[in-house]
Coordinates of all heavy atoms in Angstrom, one line a residue:
M1 N 6.6 64.0 -41.1 CA 7.9 63.5 -41.3 C 7.9 62.5 -42.5 O 7.0 61.7 -42.5 CB 8.4 62.8 -40.0 CG 9.8 62.2 -40.2 SD 10.5 61.5 -38.6 CE 9.1 61.1 -37.6
A2 N 8.9 62.6 -43.3 CA 9.0 61.6 -44.4 C 10.1 60.7 -44.1 O 11.2 61.0 -43.7 CB 9.3 62.4 -45.7
R3 N 9.9 59.4 -44.4 CA 10.9 58.4 -44.3 C 11.1 57.8 -45.7 O 10.2 57.5 -46.4 CB 10.4 57.2 -43.4 CG 11.4 56.1 -43.4 CD 10.9 54.9 -42.6 NE 10.7 55.4 -41.2 CZ 10.8 54.6 -40.1 NH1 11.0 53.4 -40.3 NH2 10.6 55.1 -38.9
V4 N 12.4 57.8 -46.1 CA 12.8 57.2 -47.4 C 13.5 56.0 -47.2 O 14.5 55.9 -46.3 CB 13.6 58.3 -48.2 CG1 14.1 57.7 -49.5 CG2 12.9 59.6 -48.4
V5 N 13.1 54.9 -47.9 CA 13.8 53.7 -47.8 C 14.6 53.5 -49.1 O 14.1 53.6 -50.2 CB 12.9 52.5 -47.7 CG1 13.6 51.2 -47.7 CG2 12.1 52.6 -46.4
V6 N 15.9 53.3 -49.0 CA 16.8 53.1 -50.1 C 17.3 51.7 -50.1 O 17.9 51.2 -49.2 CB 18.0 54.1 -50.1 CG1 18.9 53.9 -51.3 CG2 17.6 55.5 -49.9
D7 N 17.0 51.0 -51.2 CA 17.4 49.6 -51.4 C 18.6 49.6 -52.4 O 18.4 50.1 -53.5 CB 16.3 48.7 -51.8 CG 15.3 48.4 -50.8 OD1 15.7 48.1 -49.6 OD2 14.1 48.6 -51.0
V8 N 19.7 49.1 -52.0 CA 20.9 49.1 -52.8 C 21.2 47.6 -53.1 O 21.4 46.8 -52.2 CB 22.1 49.8 -52.2 CG1 23.3 49.8 -53.1 CG2 21.8 51.2 -51.8
M9 N 21.4 47.3 -54.4 CA 21.7 45.9 -54.8 C 22.8 45.9 -55.9 O 22.9 46.9 -56.6 CB 20.4 45.3 -55.5 CG 19.3 45.1 -54.5 SD 19.5 43.9 -53.2 CE 19.7 42.4 -54.1
L10 N 23.6 44.9 -55.9 CA 24.5 44.7 -56.9 C 23.8 44.6 -58.2 O 22.7 44.0 -58.3 CB 25.4 43.5 -56.7 CG 26.4 43.5 -55.6 CD1 27.0 42.1 -55.3 CD2 27.5 44.5 -55.9
K11 N 24.4 45.1 -59.3 CA 23.8 45.0 -60.6 C 23.8 43.5 -61.0 O 24.7 42.7 -60.5 CB 24.6 45.8 -61.7 CG 24.4 47.3 -61.5 CD 25.1 48.1 -62.5 CE 24.9 49.6 -62.3 NZ 25.6 50.4 -63.3
S12 N 22.9 43.1 -61.8 CA 22.7 41.6 -62.1 C 23.9 41.0 -62.8 O 24.2 39.8 -62.6 CB 21.5 41.4 -63.0 OG 21.6 42.2 -64.2
E13 N 24.7 41.8 -63.5 CA 25.9 41.3 -64.1 C 27.1 41.1 -63.2 O 28.2 40.6 -63.6 CB 26.3 42.1 -65.4 CG 26.6 43.5 -65.1 CD 25.4 44.5 -65.2 OE1 24.3 44.0 -65.1 OE2 25.6 45.7 -65.2
I14 N 27.0 41.6 -62.0 CA 28.1 41.6 -61.0 C 27.9 40.3 -60.1 O 26.8 40.0 -59.6 CB 28.1 42.8 -60.1 CG1 28.2 44.1 -60.9 CG2 29.2 42.7 -59.0 CD1 29.5 44.2 -61.7
L15 N 29.0 39.5 -60.0 CA 28.9 38.3 -59.1 C 28.6 38.7 -57.7 O 29.1 39.8 -57.2 CB 30.2 37.6 -59.2 CG 30.5 36.9 -60.6 CD1 31.9 36.2 -60.5 CD2 29.4 35.9 -61.0
D16 N 27.9 37.9 -57.0 CA 27.5 38.2 -55.6 C 28.0 37.1 -54.7 O 27.3 36.1 -54.5 CB 26.0 38.3 -55.5 CG 25.5 38.7 -54.1 OD1 26.4 38.8 -53.1 OD2 24.3 39.0 -53.9
P17 N 29.3 37.1 -54.2 CA 29.8 36.0 -53.4 C 29.0 35.8 -52.1 O 28.9 34.6 -51.7 CB 31.3 36.4 -53.1 CG 31.4 37.9 -53.5 CD 30.2 38.2 -54.4
Q18 N 28.5 36.8 -51.5 CA 27.7 36.6 -50.3 C 26.4 35.8 -50.6 O 26.0 34.9 -49.9 CB 27.3 37.9 -49.6 CG 28.5 38.6 -48.9 CD 28.0 39.9 -48.3 OE1 27.4 40.8 -49.0 NE2 28.2 40.1 -47.0
G19 N 25.8 36.2 -51.7 CA 24.6 35.5 -52.1 C 24.9 34.0 -52.5 O 24.1 33.1 -52.1
E20 N 26.0 33.8 -53.1 CA 26.4 32.4 -53.4 C 26.7 31.6 -52.2 O 26.4 30.4 -52.1 CB 27.7 32.4 -54.3 CG 27.4 32.9 -55.7 CD 26.4 32.0 -56.5 OE1 26.5 30.8 -56.4 OE2 25.6 32.6 -57.2
A21 N 27.3 32.2 -51.2 CA 27.6 31.5 -49.9 C 26.3 31.1 -49.2 O 26.1 30.0 -48.7 CB 28.4 32.4 -49.0
V22 N 25.3 32.0 -49.2 CA 24.0 31.7 -48.6 C 23.3 30.6 -49.4 O 22.8 29.7 -48.8 CB 23.1 33.0 -48.6 CG1 21.7 32.6 -48.2 CG2 23.7 34.0 -47.6
L23 N 23.4 30.7 -50.7 CA 22.8 29.7 -51.6 C 23.4 28.3 -51.3 O 22.7 27.3 -51.2 CB 22.9 30.1 -53.1 CG 22.3 29.1 -54.1 CD1 20.8 29.1 -53.9 CD2 22.7 29.6 -55.5
G24 N 24.7 28.3 -51.1 CA 25.4 27.0 -50.8 C 25.1 26.5 -49.5 O 25.1 25.2 -49.3
A25 N 24.7 27.3 -48.5 CA 24.4 26.9 -47.2 C 22.9 26.4 -47.0 O 22.6 25.6 -46.1 CB 24.6 28.0 -46.2
L26 N 22.0 26.8 -47.9 CA 20.6 26.4 -47.8 C 20.3 24.9 -47.7 O 19.5 24.5 -46.9 CB 19.8 27.1 -48.9 CG 19.7 28.6 -48.8 CD1 19.0 29.2 -50.0 CD2 19.1 29.0 -47.5
P27 N 21.0 24.1 -48.5 CA 20.7 22.6 -48.5 C 21.0 22.1 -47.1 O 20.3 21.1 -46.6 CB 21.7 22.0 -49.5 CG 21.8 23.1 -50.5 CD 21.9 24.4 -49.7
R28 N 22.0 22.6 -46.3 CA 22.2 22.1 -45.0 C 21.1 22.5 -44.0 O 20.9 21.8 -43.0 CB 23.5 22.8 -44.4 CG 24.8 22.2 -45.1 CD 26.0 22.8 -44.5 NE 26.0 24.3 -44.7 CZ 27.0 24.9 -45.3 NH1 28.1 24.3 -45.6 NH2 26.9 26.2 -45.5
L29 N 20.2 23.4 -44.4 CA 19.0 23.7 -43.7 C 17.8 23.0 -44.2 O 16.7 23.2 -43.7 CB 18.8 25.3 -43.7 CG 19.9 26.2 -43.2 CD1 19.5 27.6 -43.4 CD2 20.1 25.9 -41.7
G30 N 18.0 22.2 -45.2 CA 16.9 21.4 -45.7 C 16.1 22.2 -46.8 O 15.0 21.8 -47.2
V31 N 16.7 23.3 -47.2 CA 16.0 24.1 -48.2 C 16.7 23.9 -49.6 O 17.9 24.2 -49.8 CB 16.1 25.6 -47.9 CG1 15.4 26.5 -49.0 CG2 15.4 25.9 -46.5
N32 N 16.0 23.2 -50.5 CA 16.6 22.8 -51.8 C 16.0 23.4 -53.0 O 16.4 23.2 -54.1 CB 16.5 21.3 -51.9 CG 17.3 20.6 -50.8 OD1 18.5 20.9 -50.6 ND2 16.6 19.8 -50.0
D33 N 14.9 24.2 -52.8 CA 14.2 24.8 -54.0 C 14.6 26.2 -54.3 O 13.8 26.9 -55.1 CB 12.7 24.7 -53.7 CG 12.2 23.2 -53.5 OD1 12.9 22.3 -54.1 OD2 11.3 23.0 -52.8
V34 N 15.7 26.7 -53.8 CA 16.1 28.1 -54.1 C 17.1 28.1 -55.2 O 18.1 27.3 -55.2 CB 16.7 28.8 -52.9 CG1 17.2 30.2 -53.2 CG2 15.6 28.8 -51.8
S35 N 16.9 28.9 -56.3 CA 17.8 28.9 -57.4 C 18.8 30.1 -57.4 O 19.8 30.0 -58.1 CB 17.0 28.9 -58.7 OG 16.2 30.1 -58.8
S36 N 18.5 31.1 -56.6 CA 19.4 32.3 -56.6 C 19.2 33.1 -55.4 O 18.1 33.2 -54.9 CB 19.1 33.2 -57.9 OG 19.9 34.3 -57.8
V37 N 20.3 33.6 -54.8 CA 20.2 34.6 -53.7 C 21.1 35.8 -54.0 O 22.2 35.6 -54.4 CB 20.7 33.9 -52.4 CG1 20.7 34.9 -51.2 CG2 19.8 32.7 -52.0
R38 N 20.6 36.9 -53.8 CA 21.3 38.2 -54.0 C 21.3 38.9 -52.7 O 20.2 39.1 -52.1 CB 20.8 39.1 -55.1 CG 20.6 38.4 -56.5 CD 21.8 38.3 -57.3 NE 22.4 39.5 -57.7 CZ 23.5 39.7 -58.2 NH1 24.3 38.6 -58.4 NH2 24.0 40.8 -58.6
I39 N 22.4 39.5 -52.2 CA 22.5 40.2 -51.0 C 22.6 41.7 -51.3 O 23.4 42.1 -52.1 CB 23.7 39.7 -50.1 CG1 23.6 38.2 -49.9 CG2 23.8 40.5 -48.8 CD1 22.5 37.8 -48.9
G40 N 21.8 42.5 -50.6 CA 21.9 43.9 -50.7 C 21.8 44.6 -49.4 O 22.1 44.0 -48.4
K41 N 21.6 45.9 -49.4 CA 21.4 46.7 -48.2 C 20.2 47.6 -48.3 O 19.8 48.0 -49.3 CB 22.7 47.4 -47.8 CG 23.2 48.4 -48.9 CD 24.5 49.0 -48.5 CE 25.1 49.8 -49.7 NZ 26.4 50.2 -49.6
R42 N 19.6 47.8 -47.1 CA 18.5 48.7 -47.0 C 18.9 49.9 -46.0 O 19.4 49.6 -44.9 CB 17.3 47.9 -46.4 CG 16.1 48.8 -46.1 CD 15.1 48.0 -45.4 NE 14.0 48.8 -44.8 CZ 12.8 48.7 -45.1 NH1 12.4 47.9 -46.1 NH2 11.9 49.5 -44.5
V43 N 18.6 51.1 -46.5 CA 19.0 52.3 -45.6 C 17.7 53.1 -45.5 O 17.0 53.3 -46.5 CB 20.1 53.1 -46.3 CG1 20.4 54.4 -45.5 CG2 21.3 52.3 -46.6
E44 N 17.4 53.4 -44.2 CA 16.2 54.2 -44.0 C 16.7 55.6 -43.6 O 17.5 55.8 -42.7 CB 15.4 53.6 -42.9 CG 14.8 52.3 -43.2 CD 13.9 51.7 -42.1 OE1 13.7 52.3 -41.1 OE2 13.4 50.6 -42.4
I45 N 16.1 56.7 -44.2 CA 16.4 58.1 -44.0 C 15.2 58.8 -43.5 O 14.2 58.7 -44.2 CB 17.0 58.7 -45.2 CG1 18.2 57.9 -45.8 CG2 17.4 60.2 -44.9 CD1 18.6 58.4 -47.2
E46 N 15.2 59.4 -42.4 CA 14.1 60.2 -41.9 C 14.4 61.7 -42.1 O 15.4 62.2 -41.6 CB 13.8 59.9 -40.5 CG 13.2 58.5 -40.3 CD 12.7 58.3 -38.9 OE1 12.8 59.2 -38.0 OE2 12.3 57.1 -38.6
F47 N 13.5 62.4 -42.8 CA 13.7 63.8 -43.0 C 12.8 64.6 -42.0 O 11.8 64.1 -41.6 CB 13.2 64.2 -44.4 CG 14.2 63.8 -45.5 CD1 14.2 62.6 -46.1 CD2 15.2 64.7 -45.9 CE1 15.1 62.2 -47.0 CE2 16.1 64.4 -46.9 CZ 16.1 63.1 -47.4
D48 N 13.2 65.8 -41.7 CA 12.4 66.7 -40.8 C 11.0 66.9 -41.5 O 10.9 66.8 -42.7 CB 13.1 68.0 -40.6 CG 14.4 67.9 -39.8 OD1 14.5 66.9 -39.0 OD2 15.3 68.8 -40.0
E49 N 10.1 67.3 -40.7 CA 8.7 67.6 -41.1 C 8.7 68.7 -42.2 O 7.9 68.6 -43.1 CB 7.8 68.0 -40.0 CG 7.6 66.9 -39.0 CD 6.7 67.4 -37.8 OE1 6.1 68.5 -37.9 OE2 6.7 66.7 -36.8
N50 N 9.5 69.7 -42.1 CA 9.5 70.8 -43.1 C 10.5 70.6 -44.2 O 10.7 71.5 -45.0 CB 9.8 72.1 -42.4 CG 11.1 72.1 -41.6 OD1 11.7 71.1 -41.5 ND2 11.5 73.2 -41.1
A51 N 11.0 69.4 -44.4 CA 12.0 69.2 -45.5 C 11.3 69.3 -46.8 O 10.1 68.9 -47.0 CB 12.6 67.8 -45.3
Q52 N 12.0 69.9 -47.8 CA 11.5 70.0 -49.1 C 12.3 69.2 -50.1 O 13.5 68.9 -49.8 CB 11.4 71.5 -49.5 CG 10.5 72.3 -48.7 CD 10.5 73.8 -49.1 OE1 11.0 74.1 -50.1 NE2 9.9 74.6 -48.3
N53 N 11.8 68.9 -51.2 CA 12.5 68.1 -52.3 C 13.1 66.8 -51.7 O 14.3 66.5 -52.0 CB 13.7 69.0 -52.9 CG 13.2 70.3 -53.5 OD1 12.1 70.3 -54.1 ND2 13.9 71.4 -53.2
V54 N 12.3 66.1 -50.9 CA 12.7 64.9 -50.3 C 13.2 63.9 -51.3 O 14.3 63.3 -51.1 CB 11.6 64.3 -49.4 CG1 12.0 62.9 -48.9 CG2 11.4 65.2 -48.2
E55 N 12.5 63.7 -52.4 CA 12.9 62.7 -53.4 C 14.2 63.1 -54.0 O 15.1 62.2 -54.2 CB 11.8 62.5 -54.4 CG 12.1 61.4 -55.4 CD 11.0 61.1 -56.4 OE1 9.9 61.6 -56.2 OE2 11.3 60.2 -57.3
E56 N 14.3 64.3 -54.4 CA 15.5 64.8 -55.1 C 16.7 64.7 -54.1 O 17.8 64.2 -54.5 CB 15.4 66.3 -55.5 CG 16.6 66.8 -56.2 CD 16.3 68.3 -56.6 OE1 15.2 68.7 -56.8 OE2 17.3 69.0 -56.6
Q57 N 16.6 65.1 -52.9 CA 17.7 64.9 -51.9 C 18.0 63.5 -51.7 O 19.2 63.1 -51.6 CB 17.3 65.6 -50.6 CG 17.2 67.1 -50.6 CD 16.9 67.7 -49.2 OE1 17.8 67.6 -48.4 NE2 15.8 68.2 -49.1
S58 N 17.0 62.6 -51.6 CA 17.3 61.2 -51.4 C 18.0 60.6 -52.6 O 18.9 59.8 -52.4 CB 15.9 60.5 -51.2 OG 15.3 60.9 -50.1
R59 N 17.7 61.0 -53.8 CA 18.4 60.5 -55.0 C 19.9 60.9 -54.9 O 20.8 60.1 -55.3 CB 17.8 61.0 -56.3 CG 16.5 60.3 -56.6 CD 16.0 60.5 -58.0 NE 14.7 59.8 -58.1 CZ 14.6 58.5 -58.3 NH1 15.6 57.7 -58.3 NH2 13.4 58.0 -58.4
V60 N 20.2 62.1 -54.5 CA 21.6 62.6 -54.4 C 22.3 61.8 -53.4 O 23.4 61.3 -53.6 CB 21.6 64.1 -54.0 CG1 23.0 64.5 -53.7 CG2 21.1 65.0 -55.2
I61 N 21.7 61.6 -52.2 CA 22.3 60.8 -51.1 C 22.6 59.4 -51.6 O 23.7 58.8 -51.5 CB 21.4 60.7 -49.9 CG1 21.3 62.1 -49.3 CG2 21.9 59.7 -48.9 CD1 20.2 62.2 -48.2
A62 N 21.6 58.7 -52.3 CA 21.8 57.4 -52.7 C 22.8 57.3 -53.8 O 23.7 56.4 -53.8 CB 20.5 56.8 -53.2
D63 N 22.8 58.2 -54.8 CA 23.7 58.1 -55.9 C 25.1 58.5 -55.6 O 26.1 57.9 -56.1 CB 23.2 59.0 -57.0 CG 23.9 58.9 -58.3 OD1 24.1 57.7 -58.8 OD2 24.3 59.9 -58.9
Q64 N 25.3 59.4 -54.7 CA 26.6 59.9 -54.4 C 27.3 59.3 -53.2 O 28.5 59.5 -53.0 CB 26.6 61.4 -54.4 CG 26.3 62.1 -55.7 CD 26.3 63.6 -55.7 OE1 26.9 64.2 -54.8 NE2 25.7 64.2 -56.7
L65 N 26.5 58.7 -52.3 CA 27.0 58.3 -51.0 C 26.7 56.8 -50.7 O 27.6 56.0 -50.3 CB 26.4 59.1 -49.9 CG 26.9 58.8 -48.5 CD1 28.4 59.1 -48.4 CD2 26.2 59.6 -47.5
L66 N 25.5 56.3 -51.0 CA 25.1 55.0 -50.6 C 25.4 53.9 -51.6 O 25.7 52.8 -51.2 CB 23.6 54.9 -50.2 CG 23.2 55.9 -49.1 CD1 21.7 55.8 -48.9 CD2 23.9 55.6 -47.8
A67 N 25.4 54.2 -52.9 CA 25.6 53.2 -53.9 C 26.8 53.6 -54.8 O 27.0 54.7 -55.0 CB 24.3 53.1 -54.8
N68 N 27.5 52.5 -55.2 CA 28.5 52.7 -56.1 C 27.9 52.5 -57.5 O 27.6 51.3 -57.9 CB 29.6 51.6 -55.9 CG 30.8 51.7 -56.9 OD1 30.6 52.3 -57.9 ND2 31.9 51.1 -56.5
P69 N 27.7 53.5 -58.3 CA 27.0 53.4 -59.6 C 27.7 52.5 -60.6 O 27.0 52.0 -61.5 CB 26.9 54.8 -60.1 CG 28.0 55.6 -59.4 CD 28.2 54.9 -58.1
V70 N 28.9 52.1 -60.4 CA 29.6 51.2 -61.3 C 29.1 49.8 -61.2 O 28.9 49.1 -62.1 CB 31.1 51.3 -61.1 CG1 31.8 50.3 -62.0 CG2 31.6 52.7 -61.4
I71 N 28.8 49.4 -59.9 CA 28.5 48.0 -59.6 C 27.1 47.8 -58.9 O 26.6 46.7 -58.8 CB 29.6 47.3 -58.8 CG1 29.7 47.9 -57.4 CG2 30.9 47.2 -59.6 CD1 30.6 47.1 -56.5
E72 N 26.5 48.9 -58.5 CA 25.2 48.8 -57.8 C 24.2 49.7 -58.4 O 24.4 50.7 -59.0 CB 25.5 49.3 -56.3 CG 26.4 48.4 -55.5 CD 26.7 48.9 -54.1 OE1 27.0 50.1 -54.0 OE2 26.7 48.1 -53.2
S73 N 22.9 49.3 -58.1 CA 21.8 50.1 -58.5 C 21.0 50.3 -57.2 O 21.1 49.6 -56.2 CB 20.9 49.5 -59.6 OG 20.5 48.2 -59.1
F74 N 20.1 51.3 -57.2 CA 19.3 51.6 -56.0 C 17.9 51.9 -56.4 O 17.6 52.3 -57.6 CB 19.9 52.7 -55.2 CG 19.8 54.1 -55.9 CD1 18.7 54.9 -55.7 CD2 20.9 54.5 -56.6 CE1 18.7 56.1 -56.3 CE2 20.9 55.8 -57.2 CZ 19.8 56.6 -57.1
S75 N 17.0 51.7 -55.5 CA 15.6 52.1 -55.7 C 15.1 52.9 -54.4 O 15.7 52.6 -53.3 CB 14.7 50.9 -55.9 OG 14.7 50.1 -54.8
L76 N 14.2 53.8 -54.6 CA 13.7 54.6 -53.5 C 12.3 54.3 -53.2 O 11.5 54.1 -54.2 CB 13.8 56.1 -53.8 CG 15.2 56.7 -54.1 CD1 15.1 58.2 -54.4 CD2 16.1 56.6 -52.8
S77 N 11.9 54.4 -52.0 CA 10.5 54.3 -51.6 C 10.2 55.3 -50.5 O 10.9 55.3 -49.5 CB 10.2 52.9 -51.1 OG 8.9 52.8 -50.6
I78 N 9.3 56.2 -50.8 CA 9.0 57.3 -49.8 C 7.8 56.9 -49.0 O 6.7 56.6 -49.6 CB 8.8 58.6 -50.5 CG1 10.1 59.0 -51.3 CG2 8.4 59.7 -49.5 CD1 9.9 60.3 -52.1
E79 N 7.9 56.8 -47.7 CA 6.8 56.4 -46.8 C 6.4 57.6 -46.0 O 7.2 58.1 -45.2 CB 7.3 55.3 -45.9 CG 7.8 54.1 -46.6 CD 8.4 53.0 -45.7 OE1 8.6 53.3 -44.5 OE2 8.6 51.9 -46.2
G80 N 5.3 58.1 -46.2 CA 4.8 59.3 -45.4 C 5.2 60.6 -46.1 O 6.0 60.6 -47.0
A81 N 4.7 61.7 -45.6 CA 5.0 63.0 -46.1 C 5.0 64.0 -45.0 O 4.5 63.8 -44.0 CB 4.1 63.4 -47.2

């Protein structure tokens, strides 16, 4: 069985209000040495044992369903085969 991890993040030029909110809250926790926080999402996809073209299928899923290519980028990591 193959497991694919898709990490989706806002592109660097896109403002991240969630990240800014976390960054603003850190001093209340006594954490003052953080200069930037970016929030993203992680999606895990498990393919059947006999699945073929796992990487290609994962790219289609990520590009057409999980990420908005205008404002987000994604990376794939295949764990197992």
